[in-house]
Each structure stands twice: as structure tokens, then as C-alpha cells.
Amino acid sequence: SVFLFLSAIVNSVSTVTHYSVPEEMDEGSVVANLAADLGIDVKSLSKRKMRVDVVGNKKYLDINKDTGELFILERMDREFLCPLKTATSCFLKLDATIENPIRMFNIEVEILDINDNAPHFRRGTMHLDISESSPVGERFSLNNAADPDVGTNSVKNYHLSSSEHFLIEIQTGRDGTKFADLILKKALDREQQAVHNLILTAVDGGVPTRTGTASIIVRVLDVNDNAPSFDKDKYVVDVMENSPIGSLVIKLNATDLDEGSNSDVVYSYSLYTSERTQNMFNLNPENGEIRVKEMINYEDLKFYEMEVIASDKGSDSLSGQCKLTIQVTDMNDNHPEISIKSFQSPIKENTPTDTVIAVVSVSDKDSGDNGVVDLHIPQNMPFKLRESSDNYYQLVVSQPLDREKVPEYDITFTVTDRGSPPLSDNETMTLELLDVNDNVPQFPQSFYTIRVMENNAPGALLSSLTAFDPDLHENQYLVYFILEKEIANTSMSMLFSINPENGNVYALKTFDYEIEKEFLFHIEARDSGSPPLSSNVTVHIIIVDQNDNAPVIVSPWRAHGSVVEEKIPRSTDKGSLVAKVIALDTDSVHNSRITYQFLQVTDATLFSLDQYNGEIRTMRMFSYRDPRHQRLVVVAKDNGDPALSATVTIKLSTVETAVKAYSDMTEVPLEYDIFSDLNLYLVIGLGSVSFLLLITILVTIVLKCQKPKPSKAAPPSRNSVISERNSTVADSTLVSNDAYWYSLFLAETRKGKLVVRQPVPKGSRYIVSSIPRGTGLTETSDSAASTLQVGDKYLF
């Protein structure tokens, strides 16, 4: 039941009912009919109890319990009820209760202000002492008037009684209060008027208006009637920032026309000068000098304003004032600053041009040109700066990069302002380049000639062909290959090998100059990059000849043994060709040059030997004292080191015969007729005498030329020259590479004449052919040619 009762009470409360009533209403005045406004039946009021409670200390309102009217019980004064002027509204609150059923009402009565109060001054008389020397325009504060009314009913204006020396200026405070300043509009002169009586009237804004007055008594002081005055009312001076402490900014000068102590001026800051300004500059009170007190920084404050008062020392001190503006001149005392916002390192060396690798910002706290900055990097780098926004720059790649030329860059960013002198700052960043496989392996030479001495040992190191790749890591690791090539069905890899890691070239077999003189192939160097790069080089292997073949004597031919027997007429003339030794050497030109010497000779005064062509000639005619048999041992030496040689023993037997002696046979062309007319005559003349002897000689020659039984051919030998038939060398045609034998020579043998012809068209060979005796001149092709095997090669 308690709960239902409280619920009924809560539900019975209605909203606030508001009424407005002007103050000063008479007692008994009806404010409103609550019964009608609240919807209560007046007839039931006698049965239902109504009660009114006033919130406050005094009851100003009441309700007629019979009629339900709200009436004034006692006259109200708004200024008494609401003394604070800060409250714009003044309310009385009532709580009305009616029973059966219970209902509660909140009633709010606003007391409206009426202009029932006049402005008044706290002091009816104000005294002012003003020096006669007070300047026109000087301002004097006056007491303001008070009005308890609010709003438009409060003080709105002031009026000053007529005066030629003074006027007033209305000021409004932050709270809206009006007050007046007395301003001197004309100079005072105590001798003319010592006291000025003024009436100050305060007027409110009510209807009708109400006023209040106060007397102003101005006393004009006659002493010290001249106030100090400055040359200017306002000064503007410039001071350089960072000026030394104690440096003079300005010297203010105020003058006073009075004399004595009334003219002594004291300088001071007014209250309008900020404490910061007073701490920055020192004012000398005696001479008006303003000096720097603390270090001035343009970036902290660009100008200072101050008000300086000059007061004299009279008993009634007078003062004058001026305003001073100190403008700080900027100095270039702040270094520009660099801030690296981003920097990408390392980067690949193939980074495209115009790629951004860094973002840099610059700043300078100075102003003007001192604060304008420029950013630079060295001009010799493949980068450039591009301004992206205000004081922001991008560092971009401007030229292709090459790590092999420059692996890293120390990029110095230098920022410089445009001050005088300019200030700068710098910051260095290191940019590292990452390697890419952009360099082909390079050999120092494009063509290598390697000389290899024949008879080399298999597996011997021939040379080291090392390529260079300026890249790094796997891009620099090289592998070497021999590019496959076949020569005479033989692969290069069967003859040579190369170490894939260091390029060492090895021979896999022993080479023979007489068989293989040179090889030409290619070697490739390939890096391990992705994709790999490669290059190749041509290698020319030249087999160098060794003197490993001894000379072989081919003439005079020694079919059986090493002794050659020859017969010569005892009547042989001086200088006649007795024999010709011919030796061949299958080595190279240098090692195959042959020289001939007598190893043994029976009579050194009888025979001479040409060391170059091997011709043995008589040095004189035979005498009866000379032995019939002569033994000559000839050695043929090559030009090698050490030299190799071969020997032949020639046994000469002198015979008494009518046969034509050997004539001095010199080199003649092939077309020359061997049998000249003179020889023919001699033959015919001697023919009848020696017919029988010729027959004997011919038979002997035929027997000599008979072919012996064929024997098993010896295997090819590098150091031998063997005929396939057991005929004399005169029946053979020989081909040699030795340019030594380019000269022509003619030698007579038992069966014919041996002719060495001029080289064949290629200029590298000569032909040795035989011309049978007793016939005319024939071509080599007409002779019975045999084949000689020389140095494992067949020559025709």
C-alpha cells in the first residue's frame, strides 16, 4: 500500500507553471487563478485541502483556498530579493498541494525589474589634483555610478557639465559596466583658474530615465608645470640579432622646461611593457639608454614593443611617455638542416635511370634569403636531385650504374642557405651496388700461340689461359672448356685437356714435329651467372722441332756397308769433281742445315771438300808418287744442338785409262747439251783406241745395275731413309723440304748424272732426279723413279 501511495504521489506531480509579476505590485493583487490554470473544480476546493509552501525565508505570495487565486501577500522588491546583478532573472518558487486525491504543483513566479532605482555615486564629491602643465589629452579616471536595476534600467551614459578644459570619454568594462575618463582638452593655467568645479551626471536607460550626479573638484597645481617630453611619440629602431650583451640599442631623450629638481628626468617602463621585453632590454633610468640585456634571437621573437615613461623629480612629479618598437634584424646564424626521410641501399647495378633511391628534406630557421636553402650533391656522380615539393627532394638515378667501375658511392648531401656569408650543412650516405652478371669473361689476348717442344711428356702443362670476369661471387666463377673439333678423325679432347677451374692446358700425348706441326682450336670461358655469359679465344699450338733426326747420306749410295768404292782416272785435272756427298735431314729448316767435313783423308793436299754442297774436288793433279788408293771419310753434320751426324767412307782408286777424264762439271741448266761437240770429237778420237776398254766398262755398269733379290722392307723409321728397291740413288727422284738445296748442282754417278732441280711452284720443295748416261737431256718423268720413305712420310 505504501508503494501504491508513493506511485500515486509521483503520478500526481504536474509540470512547472510559470508566471511573471512586476516588482512593486500592491498587496492583494491577484497574480493568477491557479484553479482554472491547473484544471481544478472550484466547487470542490472546500472539500479538498489546498496548501501553498513558499521556497525561501519570507512568504510573499498566497492562495485563496476558496477561489484558488494566487495573490500578493506582501509588496516585493526585486533588488532586495535578487541583490546580485549578475543574475538576469529573479524567481520565487512555490509548491502547491491539493488532497483527495493528492496532487502537487510546482509554481514559478518571475519578478520583473522596473526602473525604480536612480544611478548614484559612492562618493558625492571627487577631488582631482592636476598640474597646470598636464598635456592636452591626458586622461584621468573617475569613479563610476552604481544602479541596482538591471538591463536597460542600469547606467547607460554619463554627461559632464560644460567646460572648455575638460571632456569625458565613456568606457565599457568587460561586465558591461559603464565608466567615464576625464580628459583634458585644453591646457590648464592655475593663475587663470585654480579650481574647476564639474558636475558628472549618470543616466540610466529606463523609461522614464533616472539620473544621479557627483561633483568633481579639479585643483590646478602650479608647481612643476612642465612635464618631460620625448622628441617623438613613437620610435622604431632596428637591432641585429645576436648583438653583444650591453650593446646600445637607442638613447631616449626627454626634456623638462622646469628648473632644478623639477627638470630632472627619470626613465622607466610603463605597465604596458611586457615582462619579457623588460628582461631582454635594460633601461637606464638616469640617461634613457636602452641596452641589450640578454641574447636576442630573431627566431624567438621578431620585434619588441615597449612604452617608456619619463618622470621628473618634482614634488608633484610629471611624466611623459613614448612608444618604442625594436625590430630584430635577422642574421644568418642558423645552419640549414638536412633530414634523410628514406634511403634505399644497396641497389642493383642495373637499376633503371630515374629510379628514386632517397627522399631528403631541408629547412632553415632564418628568414628571407637567410632562410632560402639549396641542396646539392657532387656533380661527378650518376645521380640528380629532383624537387618533389616544398623543401623536399628526391635523389634519382641519372646515368647507368656499373659496379665494376664504382662498387659504392659516398653521397654527400650539402645544403646551403643564401645568407651572407652563407651557411651550410652536409650529411653523407653510403650507397652500395649489388652485382649483376653483366660482364662477359675476358681473356687478356684474343689469340694465343703456344710453342710445344716435340717429344713432350704426356700430361705436361703447356700454358695457363686465365680469363678475368669483373663481376662478383657466382657471376665471377669461371669454367673453361675446349670447344670440340676433329682433326683427321681425332677429337681435340683426345690431344689436349684443360682444367675447368684455372684454365691450365695440358698435352695428352707426345707430339712429333715430323708428323704434326700445329693445331688450332678454341677455348671457352663461361661464368656461373644466370644466365651465364661466355667468351672464347683461339689457341694455336705450334710443335717445335727438336734435333732428333740424324742426317742420312743418300749420295753416294751405299747399298752394302758404309764404304763406297770409286775409280777415277789418274789423269784427272786439278779442280775436277771427284764425288759429291748428299745428306738429307727430316728435321726443321734450322736443324736440317748440313755441313760437310773430312773426318779422315789420305792426302790432305790432294782433295778439297766444300762444306756446304759436299763436292769433293781435286786440288792438284795426281803424281806418280801419290798412292793408287785414296781413303776419304766424310762426316755430314746438322745444325742442331747437340749436332747429329752421319759418315761415309769413299775409297778412290786411280786407274790408267784412256777414257775421258771427268771434266769439271759445274751447275748448268737442264736444257744444256751434256755432250758438246768437243766431247764428241774426243770420244770419236779415242773410240778406236779404247773400244775394248769401253766394252768392258759397259758390261761392268750393266752388272752393277742389275736388281738384287728383293728383301723384306724395314719398318718405317724416323731416322732412316730407305729405298724400296736396291737401286742406286741415281735412279730415284727425291723431294725435300730443305731450302738449302735450292741451288742447282750436277753430279755424275756410275749410271748417269744426278740433277737437283729448282723448287716446285709452292716454293717449299726440290726434286732430285737421275739422267741416264749416254742419252740426251730428258725430263725427270722419263727416268725410272723410285720412292724413298723419309721421316715416316712418302715423298715422290
Side-chain angles (χ1 to χ4, degrees):
S1 61
V2 175
F3 176 77
L4 293 176
F5 176 75
L6 293 176
S7 299
I9 292 175
V10 172
N11 292 331
S12 65
V13 177
S14 63
T15 59
V16 177
T17 303
H18 180 84
Y19 298 100
S20 297
V21 184
E23 66 172 333
E24 300 291 336
M25 285 189 68
D26 295 334
E27 296 178 0
S29 299
V30 177
V31 176
N33 192 327
L34 286 180
D37 293 339
L38 298 178
I40 302 173
D41 186 8
V42 178
K43 295 180 180 180
S44 64
L45 285 179
S46 59
K47 298 179 180 180
R48 303 174 65 184
K49 295 181 181 180
M50 176 176 281
R51 184 176 67 252
V52 175
D53 295 327
V54 178
V55 180
N57 297 326
K58 190 174 182 180
K59 186 175 181 182
Y60 290 94
L61 298 173
D62 200 358
I63 298 177
N64 189 325
K65 297 180 181 180
D66 295 328
T67 63
E69 293 176 336
L70 179 66
F71 65 94
I72 294 176
L73 186 63
E74 183 179 341
R75 189 171 182 176
M76 295 178 292
D77 187 355
R78 182 188 181 281
E79 286 73 31
F80 175 79
L81 294 176
C82 301
L84 298 178
K85 295 188 63 175
T86 55
T88 58
S89 300
C90 184
F91 295 95
L92 288 179
K93 294 183 179 180
L94 300 87
D95 291 333
T97 304
I98 189 171
E99 298 179 354
N100 298 323
I102 296 176
R103 291 187 65 186
M104 298 179 65
F105 303 97
N106 294 331
I107 301 171
E108 193 176 72
V109 178
E110 181 181 5
I111 310 301
L112 301 178
D113 181 56
I114 62 175
N115 192 18
D116 57 344
N117 292 284
H120 68 281
F121 292 92
R122 289 189 296 272
R123 289 188 299 175
T125 303
M126 291 179 281
H127 295 275
L128 292 177
D129 292 334
I130 301 176
S131 173
E132 61 177 333
S133 61
S134 296
V136 174
E138 188 171 356
R139 187 183 301 269
F140 305 94
S141 296
L142 301 176
N143 293 332
N144 61 310
D147 192 330
D149 293 327
V150 295
T152 58
N153 296 325
S154 63
V155 176
K156 292 298 181 183
N157 204 352
Y158 292 92
H159 299 289
L160 185 66
S161 59
S162 178
S163 171
E164 60 178 347
H165 293 91
F166 298 95
L167 57 82
I168 59 172
E169 186 175 285
I170 309 302
Q171 304 288 343
T172 303
R174 293 183 179 179
D175 59 352
T177 302
K178 302 290 185 177
F179 59 91
D181 284 344
L182 183 66
I183 299 175
L184 183 63
K185 69 177 181 180
K186 184 179 179 181
L188 299 176
D189 189 350
R190 193 193 65 82
E191 287 70 28
Q192 291 183 4
Q193 187 175 354
V195 177
H196 294 266
N197 294 311
L198 304 174
I199 302 298
L200 180 63
T201 303
V203 182
D204 63 20
V207 179
T209 60
R210 292 178 179 270
T211 62
T213 61
S215 298
I216 301 174
I217 300 175
V218 178
R219 292 188 306 163
V220 180
L221 303 179
D222 189 40
V223 295
N224 193 19
D225 58 349
N226 291 286
S229 62
F230 291 92
D231 300 334
K232 298 179 181 178
D233 292 336
K234 188 173 184 179
Y235 294 86
V236 178
V237 294
D238 296 329
V239 62
M240 191 71 68
E241 70 168 328
N242 300 328
S243 294
I245 295 176
S247 58
L248 180 65
V249 177
I250 189 175
K251 182 177 181 181
L252 297 176
N253 184 32
T255 58
D256 193 322
L257 300 178
D258 294 325
E259 295 181 350
S261 62
N262 292 332
S263 64
D264 295 335
V265 178
V266 177
Y267 301 90
S268 63
Y269 288 120
S270 74
L271 297 179
Y272 294 103
T273 303
S274 67
E275 183 178 356
R276 182 175 186 179
T277 301
Q278 296 184 44
N279 292 333
M280 189 64 63
F281 299 96
N282 182 60
L283 174 62
N284 190 318
E286 301 297 329
N287 56 22
E289 289 182 349
I290 296 179
R291 295 182 179 272
V292 177
K293 188 176 181 180
E294 293 183 359
M295 190 63 67
I296 303 173
N297 190 357
Y298 173 86
E299 288 68 38
D300 292 341
L301 194 61
K302 296 177 175 55
F303 62 90
Y304 295 87
E305 290 185 338
M306 62 184 68
E307 187 176 68
V308 178
I309 297 175
S311 304
D312 58 30
K313 294 182 180 180
S315 57
D316 295 322
S317 178
L318 299 179
S319 63
Q321 60 187 15
C322 71
K323 289 185 179 180
L324 175 64
T325 300
I326 298 177
Q327 298 181 149
V328 181
T329 303
D330 180 47
M331 287 183 62
N332 194 23
D333 60 341
N334 288 282
H335 286 263
E337 297 178 353
I338 300 175
S339 177
I340 306 297
K341 299 302 181 183
S342 66
F343 191 85
Q344 182 181 356
S345 178
I347 62 173
K348 291 186 177 181
E349 61 175 318
N350 62 348
T351 298
T353 57
D354 211 39
T355 299
V356 178
I357 60 175
V359 177
V360 182
S361 68
V362 294
S363 61
D364 195 317
K365 295 180 181 179
D366 292 322
S367 64
D369 289 342
N370 297 330
V372 178
V373 295
D374 300 300
L375 184 63
H376 307 280
I377 59 173
Q379 303 297 335
N380 58 347
M381 288 191 174
F383 309 101
K384 66 178 180 180
L385 289 170
R386 182 171 61 198
E387 188 170 4
S388 59
S389 61
D390 189 21
N391 291 334
Y392 275 83
Y393 294 85
Q394 293 177 338
L395 181 69
V396 298
V397 179
S398 61
Q399 299 175 20
L401 304 177
D402 190 347
R403 188 207 63 81
E404 289 68 40
K405 293 181 179 178
V406 183
E408 66 178 22
Y409 292 90
D410 289 330
I411 304 175
T412 301
F413 297 93
T414 302
V415 60
T416 306
D417 61 28
R418 298 182 184 178
S420 180
L423 298 179
S424 63
D425 192 12
N426 60 71
E427 186 168 346
T428 300
M429 305 295 290
T430 299
L431 176 65
E432 180 184 355
L433 299 184
L434 296 178
D435 182 59
V436 296
N437 193 24
D438 59 346
N439 287 278
V440 176
Q442 295 292 328
F443 288 92
Q445 303 172 212
S446 60
F447 189 91
Y448 285 87
T449 300
I450 303 175
R451 298 183 180 274
V452 180
M453 190 68 69
E454 68 171 329
N455 303 318
N456 59 290
L461 175 65
L462 303 183
S463 180
S464 181
L465 307 183
T466 303
F468 172 72
D469 194 321
D471 292 323
L472 289 179
H473 309 305
E474 67 275 1
N475 299 329
Q476 188 185 39
Y477 298 147
L478 302 183
V479 181
Y480 299 88
F481 306 91
I482 293 179
L483 298 182
E484 206 52 58
K485 178 182 179 182
E486 290 190 356
I487 297 179
N489 296 326
T490 301
S491 172
M492 283 292 104
S493 61
M494 301 292 293
L495 303 177
F496 304 96
S497 69
I498 188 169
N499 189 318
E501 295 182 356
N502 56 25
N504 289 345
V505 179
Y506 300 90
L508 298 180
K509 62 167 288 187
T510 300
F511 297 107
D512 188 350
Y513 173 82
E514 286 69 37
I515 298 177
E516 303 150 322
K517 292 182 172 55
E518 62 180 9
F519 300 94
L520 196 68
F521 56 91
H522 298 283
I523 288 179
E524 179 181 292
R526 182 185 305 163
D527 61 30
S528 303
S530 179
L533 301 178
S534 62
S535 64
N536 58 67
V537 66
T538 301
V539 179
H540 186 201
I541 303 291
I542 297 178
I543 308 302
V544 179
D545 181 53
Q546 277 188 329
N547 192 27
D548 57 347
N549 290 284
V552 177
I553 296 176
V554 297
S555 177
W557 184 248
R558 301 165 294 172
H560 303 285
S562 60
V563 178
V564 178
E565 295 182 356
E566 296 287 352
K567 295 183 186 317
I568 61 172
R570 196 170 181 83
S571 60
T572 300
D573 295 334
K574 174 185 178 180
S576 297
L577 180 65
V578 175
K580 184 175 180 69
V581 180
I582 301 176
L584 297 179
D585 193 321
T586 58
D587 289 323
S588 66
V589 174
H590 178 76
N591 292 326
S592 66
R593 296 187 184 277
I594 307 296
T595 58
Y596 303 91
Q597 294 177 352
F598 278 131
L599 191 60
Q600 293 180 6
V601 60
T602 303
D603 188 349
T605 65
L606 186 57
F607 300 100
S608 65
L609 173 61
D610 190 306
Q611 64 174 339
Y612 298 112
N613 60 22
E615 293 180 349
I616 302 175
R617 294 181 182 273
T618 58
M619 296 176 63
R620 59 179 173 81
M621 293 186 67
F622 289 94
S623 69
Y624 68 94
R625 289 189 294 266
D626 293 327
R628 180 180 177 184
H629 299 286
Q630 300 286 333
R631 186 174 182 271
L632 306 177
V633 180
V634 178
V635 59
K637 290 185 178 181
D638 59 24
N639 198 36
D641 184 17
L644 301 178
S645 63
T647 61
V648 63
T649 301
I650 303 174
K651 288 184 177 181
L652 293 179
S653 300
T654 58
V655 296
E656 298 292 344
T657 180
V659 179
K660 178 184 180 299
Y662 289 107
S663 60
D664 185 9
M665 309 193 77
T666 58
E667 296 175 1
V668 295
L670 292 177
E671 294 78 15
Y672 182 77
D673 190 357
I674 299 177
F675 298 98
S676 63
D677 294 340
L678 178 59
N679 293 334
L680 183 59
Y681 295 152
L682 293 175
V683 172
I684 295 175
L686 297 175
S688 60
V689 179
S690 58
F691 177 77
L692 293 177
L693 181 60
L694 290 174
I695 293 298
T696 302
I697 294 174
L698 290 175
V699 171
T700 304
I701 294 174
V702 170
L703 292 176
K704 290 285 186 180
C705 293
Q706 286 182 351
K707 183 178 181 182
K709 292 182 180 181
S711 60
K712 187 177 180 179
S717 172
R718 296 176 57 188
N719 298 323
S720 64
V721 178
I722 301 175
S723 173
E724 290 185 352
R725 44 181 287 187
N726 293 330
S727 62
T728 62
V729 73
D731 293 329
S732 300
T733 298
L734 305 177
V735 179
S736 173
N737 289 333
D738 193 353
Y740 175 79
W741 297 105
Y742 283 0
S743 61
L744 293 174
F745 65 88
L746 184 63
E748 186 174 2
T749 66
R750 294 177 182 176
K751 191 174 181 179
K753 298 175 181 178
L754 187 63
V755 178
V756 179
R757 290 192 173 183
Q758 292 286 0
V760 294
K762 290 186 178 180
S764 61
R765 295 182 178 181
Y766 64 85
I767 301 174
V768 180
S769 62
S770 64
I771 302 176
R773 184 193 295 269
T775 63
L777 295 174
T778 61
E779 294 296 326
T780 304
S781 60
D782 295 335
S783 65
S786 65
T787 302
L788 296 180
Q789 184 180 6
V790 181
D792 293 343
K793 294 183 180 178
Y794 290 94
L795 306 177
F796 299 93

